[in-house]
Amino acid sequence: MTNKKISALTKKRYSSEKRFKAYCIAALALAMAILFTLLSSITLNSLPAFTQTHITTDVYLDKNLLDPNNTNDLEAILREGPWRSLAKSSLREMVPGVNDRKEKRELYGLVSVIAGDSIKYYVKENPNDIGKKVQINIPSSDDIDLLTKGLIDRNLPEENRTVSNLQLKWLDQFIYEKRVSKRFAWKLFNHGDSREAEVAGLKGAIAGTLLTMFVTLIISFPIGVMTAVYLEEIAPKNRMTDFIEVNINNLAAVPSIVFGLLGLAVFIGYFGMPRSAPLVGGIVLALMTLPVIIIATRASLASIPPSIREAAYGVGASQLQVINHHVLPLAIPGILTGTIIGIARAAGETAPLLMIGMMAFIVDTPHKITDKATVMPAQIYMWANNPERSFESLTSAAILILLIILITMNALAIYLRKKYERKW
Amino acid sequence: MRENGKMKNDYKVKTENITVDYGEKRALHGINLNISSNEVTSLIGPSGCGKSTFIRCINRMNDLIDGCKVNGKILIDNEDINNQNMDVVELRAKVGMVFQKPNPFPKSIFDNVAYGPRIHGTVKNKEELENMVRKSLKRAGLWNEVHDRLDASGLSLSGGQQQRLCIARAIAVNPDILLMDEPCSALDPIATAVIEELINELKERYTIMIVTHSMQQAARLSQKTAYFHLGEMIEFGDTSSIFTNPKHEMTEAYISGKIG
Ligand SMILES: Nc1ncnc2c1ncn2[C@@H]1O[C@H](COP(=O)(O)OP(=O)(O)OP(=O)(O)O)[C@@H](O)[C@H]1O
Ligand SMILES: [Mg+2]
């Protein structure tokens, strides 16, 4: 009788456990599916941006044209050479019989506006080729690029596509002559921002992000760790420290844009620091990261068993020695993990930087923390707002690169934690 | 209950009316206890009676506990250690401590023992340091087991070995007094025997206070025994007389296993 009752109960318990487990698995599967969809759609969208169509052009590096005074001064040649017109004349030579002004413009529209730079770069690398006829790969314009990647439908009526019939004809000729190739788009990493999609790269944004993170790190890491050490190891436990602790935890919950307002009012408005500069961006993000580092460091310090401290005090170590020789070295993995996660979060932050002018069209790559700069997430936002078709895949590519950077940082944090994890 | 024909000034450690409060709660109610040099003194008594609290007064470990207040006079070599001028670091170099749970630093065996001499600057060069480490490990009876792996982590040793490592770490600083809070409670009988033998040897050089829950251990090891009960010291005297002829009925009850 009782046995039966119990087994009925057991059955019920088992089935409810099973149901619970099933719910958990379903939730997990859903989360993974969303993540997978997100990642794969970004990756797929971004793929076209990683390759770039090039047209192999025959260029005659006419010595009389490049170096009319026969100076042999490479720098002067590079500086003053008529690169753009050289690119144009090469095109005209490859497609004879183009004389009409309008047709000429269409012909030049096949290649990128920086076609001249490609020739210049070639000469810089191979100065001995001056005077020879050489083949140089010149990036195509972004419309041609889209077309070769199949993102523009060539069967549309002419007035509905950005590539004209004439251009199509020339392009087919080039394809027939095996002059058209797709290459890895290095310009993504060695060009700054541009209005022209075929030139626009992330160099400036990546440099800006690195400079900003550098400022963030050197400000928030020492201050955060020292604050945490003081609160956890040195300060007496009283109302004052409780009050400070509550406030630090609150700080972690402040919306990030508020930090941007603070940066605008205090650092730019009051201290007169430069706008759009990694210096101010770094300070603002440091304020945002500080509570994260403090909380992580305190947790890491608190997890160190008191027996280690007692042992050190027991042989006569001073408080500073206990902290420096024993507590901090053991806490370092946890501190680094917290710091990296905090910095990674800051690296993906846009709102506070909006307030201090780092969301700006900046072509030059910043070299100092006071140079004008933008950061990766701001770059993504600006590209996403660009109506041109080819910026779509560029935006996805930038997102993917940012994600890779952030995931690498987080993986590093996990690696550090695993590597130095201790069992007591 | 105390005098033993010795002059008052001969005592290594003298405590006068020590009281300890943890916040509102009084853990020790006026302890008077005098300890002579080169003797082993056992502190026995039921759990929670204040043995650890008392022993931690001697090297001021209670300073580390928030809200713990120690009052009364503690004289070591006639110097008041609660005096403002007393340097805690020097005090703890003079009064070593071995804890209930072995707590080696998560560093190499060598660094564990070398830590004290290094921070106190008692050795001048690497050679002296190595000698000091070897000597301490030998005296702690651990040398033969670890001499070929001094680079291994202190945590890689067995419990008994770890405890001997902690003893080596404590004596490497050359203390006068060694405080041991239940040093064998985490050990098996064989490891315990090794450590007891070690304590017997160490008393030639050090004044030792040991907290123990084992009556047999107290009887085997110590010359003097103090019995604590609920924060009071009930009885203190020669170990032999305490165990064979306790004066106080509570002591007798505890020894015969009626209080526990
Ligand atoms: N850190 C502390 N905070 C508050 N009260 C404490 C603290 N440490 C000890 N006490 C109290 O002081 C009294 C004495 O504790 P103590 O640790 O000295 O006992 P003990 O004799 O060593 O016991 P045991 O044999 O179990 O180790 C106990 O009542 C205990 O509750
Ligand atoms: Mg105890």
Side-chain angles (χ1 to χ4, degrees):
Chain A
M1 179 61 202
T2 37
N3 263 347
K4 242 183 198 159
K5 215 172 171 182
I6 286 176
S7 79
L9 267 177
T10 317
K11 230 176 176 175
K12 217 170 152 190
R13 201 182 70 215
Y14 278 154
S15 64
S16 87
E17 268 173 21
K18 245 187 210 150
R19 236 174 311 144
F20 182 69
K21 222 165 149 186
Y23 293 150
C24 292
I25 292 174
L28 183 71
L30 188 67
M32 294 306 287
I34 292 172
L35 196 67
F36 180 77
T37 319
L38 181 79
L39 278 181
S40 52
S41 87
I42 289 175
T43 312
L44 282 179
N45 279 337
S46 72
L47 281 180
F50 284 102
T51 57
Q52 197 175 10
T53 309
H54 282 71
I55 298 173
T56 310
T57 322
D58 300 321
V59 185
Y60 176 46
L61 299 173
D62 190 348
K63 177 130 174 123
N64 295 330
L65 199 68
L66 292 177
D67 194 8
N69 303 327
N70 210 3
T71 53
N72 282 330
D73 180 357
L74 184 62
E75 262 181 47
I77 295 175
L78 289 176
R79 196 159 5 102
E80 279 152 27
W83 306 113
R84 216 174 138 65
S85 57
L86 201 57
K88 288 178 181 171
S89 58
S90 321
L91 280 175
R92 279 202 310 273
E93 237 162 82
M94 282 157 56
V95 186
V98 179
N99 294 317
D100 176 49
R101 261 183 93 96
K102 186 175 156 287
E103 282 187 7
K104 271 190 194 168
R105 214 175 30 248
E106 280 181 34
L107 178 65
Y108 304 153
L110 287 177
V111 296
S112 156
V113 288
I114 57 147
D117 288 352
S118 302
I119 301 175
K120 177 170 146 186
Y121 185 76
Y122 180 89
V123 173
K124 189 179 168 196
E125 298 290 296
N126 312 288
N128 294 332
D129 281 356
I130 294 180
K132 296 182 190 159
K133 190 159 188 160
V134 292
Q135 290 202 318
I136 300 177
N137 290 313
I138 291 175
S140 72
S141 69
D142 62 330
D143 290 328
I144 299 298
D145 189 49
L146 288 174
L147 190 95
T148 52
K149 287 171 185 163
L151 296 172
I152 292 180
D153 186 359
R154 61 188 299 156
N155 299 323
L156 284 175
E158 186 176 14
E159 59 273 22
N160 286 352
R161 57 177 142 80
T162 43
V163 181
S164 69
N165 284 339
L166 209 48
Q167 283 179 320
L168 264 183
K169 194 187 109 201
W170 292 325
L171 185 65
D172 289 340
Q173 179 200 330
F174 287 164
I175 291 173
Y176 179 74
E177 290 169 2
K178 297 211 170 15
R179 289 181 186 277
V180 179
S181 57
K182 265 195 256 173
R183 286 151 196 276
F184 186 75
W186 287 111
K187 58 99 184 173
L188 267 184
F189 302 101
N190 51 30
H191 265 281
D193 196 9
S194 169
R195 298 280 181 221
E196 309 294 333
E198 78 268 16
V199 188
L202 287 167
K203 190 180 175 198
I206 292 177
T209 292
L210 289 181
L211 285 171
T212 309
M213 290 308 112
F214 171 73
V215 175
T216 304
L217 187 67
I218 59 166
I219 292 177
S220 62
F221 183 71
I223 297 183
V225 171
M226 296 226 272
T227 309
V229 167
Y230 178 76
L231 286 176
E232 193 64 34
E233 299 288 321
I234 301 171
K237 304 268 171 290
N238 57 22
R239 276 215 196 130
M240 192 62 201
T241 40
D242 281 350
F243 177 74
I244 292 174
E245 190 177 338
V246 169
N247 276 294
I248 288 173
N249 291 339
N250 282 341
L251 215 55
V254 170
S256 57
I257 196 156
V258 175
F259 290 102
L261 286 169
L262 178 87
L264 180 65
V266 176
F267 300 116
I268 294 178
Y270 189 76
F271 290 114
M273 291 181 183
R275 273 180 157 273
S276 312
L279 175 64
V280 183
I283 295 175
V284 166
L285 292 180
L287 293 178
M288 216 188 81
T289 313
L290 212 47
V292 181
I293 295 183
I294 293 175
I295 292 169
T297 305
R298 291 194 65 181
S300 176
L301 290 173
S303 73
I304 291 167
S307 66
I308 300 288
R309 294 187 184 87
E310 284 199 327
Y313 281 119
V315 290
S318 65
Q319 184 165 46
L320 189 65
Q321 287 170 328
V322 173
I323 293 172
N324 280 342
H325 298 166
H326 301 283
V327 177
L328 271 185
L330 293 174
I332 276 292
I335 295 175
L336 288 186
T337 309
T339 306
I340 293 172
I341 288 172
I343 294 283
R345 215 188 68 167
E349 195 61 64
T350 354
L353 302 180
L354 187 78
M355 305 309 300
I356 57 165
M358 289 190 84
M359 186 96 72
F361 177 71
I362 290 156
V363 177
D364 293 328
T365 304
H367 295 288
K368 308 191 297 290
I369 53 173
T370 46
D371 288 348
K372 286 202 179 307
T374 187
V375 290
M376 291 282 290
Q379 185 72 74
I380 291 169
Y381 180 75
M382 288 183 295
W383 281 355
N385 280 344
N386 199 312
E388 268 179 65
R389 182 78 193 276
S390 23
F391 276 98
E392 250 173 56
S393 57
L394 264 181
T395 308
S396 294
I399 293 173
L400 194 67
I401 291 169
L402 180 62
L403 273 180
I404 289 173
I405 294 175
L406 297 185
I407 288 173
T408 313
M409 285 171 87
N410 281 316
L412 183 70
I414 292 169
Y415 170 77
L416 283 175
R417 191 165 52 208
K418 283 268 174 287
K419 175 155 184 210
Y420 295 104
E421 194 172 50
R422 274 172 202 280
K423 307 261 185 298
W424 303 101
Chain B
M1 158 168 156
R2 40 189 88 141
E3 307 305 295
N4 210 355
K6 280 189 178 176
M7 291 269 292
K8 232 181 168 215
N9 284 357
D10 278 0
Y11 291 121
K12 186 78 186 167
V13 182
K14 281 196 287 186
T15 68
E16 290 172 17
N17 200 24
I18 299 188
T19 59
V20 177
D21 298 282
Y22 289 110
E24 302 288 292
K25 188 171 171 292
R26 176 150 289 194
L28 287 180
H29 308 265
I31 307 292
N32 295 293
L33 190 66
N34 295 334
I35 290 164
S36 321
S37 301
N38 303 85
E39 276 187 347
V40 179
T41 305
S42 315
L43 308 181
I44 59 172
S47 187
C49 66
K51 309 178 293 291
S52 299
T53 304
F54 176 75
I55 209 174
R56 291 166 61 95
C57 292
I58 312 294
N59 66 345
R60 285 184 53 184
M61 279 306 252
N62 285 330
D63 289 11
L64 306 177
I65 298 172
D66 279 315
C68 179
K69 258 230 218 38
V70 180
N71 283 309
K73 241 187 184 167
I74 303 170
L75 302 176
I76 294 180
D77 295 329
N78 285 317
E79 218 185 325
D80 186 356
I81 64 162
N82 286 331
N83 192 308
Q84 297 242 306
N85 301 328
M86 186 73 209
D87 183 53
V88 210
V89 167
E90 274 171 35
L91 170 70
R92 291 189 189 136
K94 194 170 164 180
V95 185
M97 188 158 199
V98 176
F99 298 83
Q100 174 169 358
K101 228 179 101 203
N103 55 355
F105 300 131
K107 299 177 189 265
S108 73
I109 294 171
F110 184 91
D111 286 341
N112 261 283
V113 184
Y115 186 67
R118 269 186 188 139
I119 58 170
H120 293 297
T122 49
V123 287
K124 283 179 195 64
N125 50 42
K126 213 175 157 222
E127 210 184 326
E128 271 185 47
L129 182 67
E130 278 166 7
N131 285 337
M132 190 57 165
V133 170
R134 188 178 328 120
K135 208 170 81 187
S136 307
L137 282 171
K138 273 186 179 156
R139 273 204 259 151
L142 193 59
W143 177 253
N144 288 336
E145 288 153 71
V146 300
H147 66 91
D148 53 351
R149 49 169 176 148
L150 293 176
D151 294 335
S153 163
L155 294 170
S156 68
L157 299 174
S158 76
Q161 288 173 324
Q162 285 189 11
Q163 194 60 299
R164 278 179 282 152
L165 179 63
C166 293
I167 294 174
R169 181 177 64 192
I171 59 185
V173 191
N174 248 331
D176 284 359
I177 302 168
L178 203 53
L179 309 174
M180 303 176 120
D181 192 349
E182 302 183 40
C184 302
S185 65
L187 306 182
D188 67 37
I190 296 171
T192 304
V194 174
I195 288 184
E196 283 186 10
E197 200 174 316
L198 173 63
I199 293 171
N200 258 326
E201 280 163 32
L202 292 176
K203 76 162 190 284
E204 310 292 325
R205 301 164 154 271
Y206 307 107
T207 305
I208 297 177
M209 294 172 76
I210 177 168
V211 175
T212 176
H213 276 287
S214 154
M215 244 67 76
Q216 292 86 336
Q217 189 173 51
R220 279 195 301 266
L221 282 178
S222 59
Q223 284 71 54
K224 294 279 169 58
T225 297
Y227 173 63
F228 280 65
H229 190 88
L230 289 179
E232 313 248 15
M233 194 183 70
I234 306 296
E235 192 167 349
F236 174 58
D238 288 333
T239 302
S240 49
S241 64
I242 292 246
F243 278 98
T244 52
N245 186 17
K247 295 202 177 61
H248 203 287
E249 58 202 44
M250 284 213 283
T251 319
E252 187 179 3
Y254 181 71
I255 288 167
S256 55
K258 284 175 201 140
I259 311 177

